[in-house]
Amino acid sequence: MYEKTFPNKRFKHTLEFLRKHISTSHTILDLGVENPFSKIMKEEGYTVKNTTGEDLDKNQTVFSEGKQDVVTAFEIFEHLLNPYTILNEIKSDKLVISIPLRLWFSSAYRSKTDMWDRHYHEFEDWQLDWLLEKTGWKIIDSQKFTHPVKKIGFRPLLRFFTPRYYIVYAEKSPLTPEGGIKD
């Protein structure tokens, strides 16, 4: 996936955000197979367990195989058909999630050669916020950031100042005795 380019800026920003909210004493379940960023987290002292490539739309047993302190999902939810179900199944109390934002000047990403490398959802920030709220998560912090590319053209120029990624730190909202969410 990163044969030609390595997303240094995105990884740097994601690591800074993770450090801001998650201590290395926390255990992490990172959704998705082991990847360059999960290796970076381990090098930084985090205890990270990755999922093993199972189709999370169909199989959520990973969430009942022992509770981790934190679940991370970096550029995963846009690939899922039903992220609502995943967010409901998470047993951890903390979540760090990042998504690529929907860009008005670019269509949804779809690899022609890799069935797993396709975006079903192209989120806007408010859509992810609503999804988190509906599944019982309270957003504590969020940030948007750009990811310019080293190409010439109108779209690469727009990428210099149009936010491309959205990252969120959320915690499970406690429930009231009536089943509603406390503020």
Side-chain angles (χ1 to χ4, degrees), residues 61-90:
T61 56
V62 69
F63 301 114
S64 58
E65 296 172 351
K67 181 181 169 187
Q68 307 298 316
D69 298 318
V70 182
V71 169
T72 58
F74 302 118
E75 287 80 54
I76 295 294
F77 277 62
E78 67 275 8
H79 300 275
L80 298 171
L81 300 180
N82 188 4
Y84 182 91
T85 301
I86 306 303
L87 289 167
N88 271 328
E89 290 296 321
I90 294 173

Side-chain angles (χ1 to χ4, degrees), residues 36-58:
F37 191 73
S38 59
K39 290 177 184 176
I40 289 170
M41 288 191 293
K42 289 175 185 176
E43 290 168 3
E44 291 292 319
Y46 290 98
T47 303
V48 180
K49 173 187 170 191
N50 282 86
T51 54
T52 57
E54 62 272 37
D55 185 343
L56 293 173
D57 280 317
K58 294 180 181 178

Side-chain angles (χ1 to χ4, degrees), residues 87-106:
L87 289 167
N88 271 328
E89 290 296 321
I90 294 173
K91 307 293 187 260
S92 304
D93 296 325
K94 298 177 183 200
L95 173 69
V96 181
I97 179 173
S98 65
I99 56 167
L101 290 169
R102 181 185 165 281
L103 299 174
W104 60 270
F105 55 85
S106 183

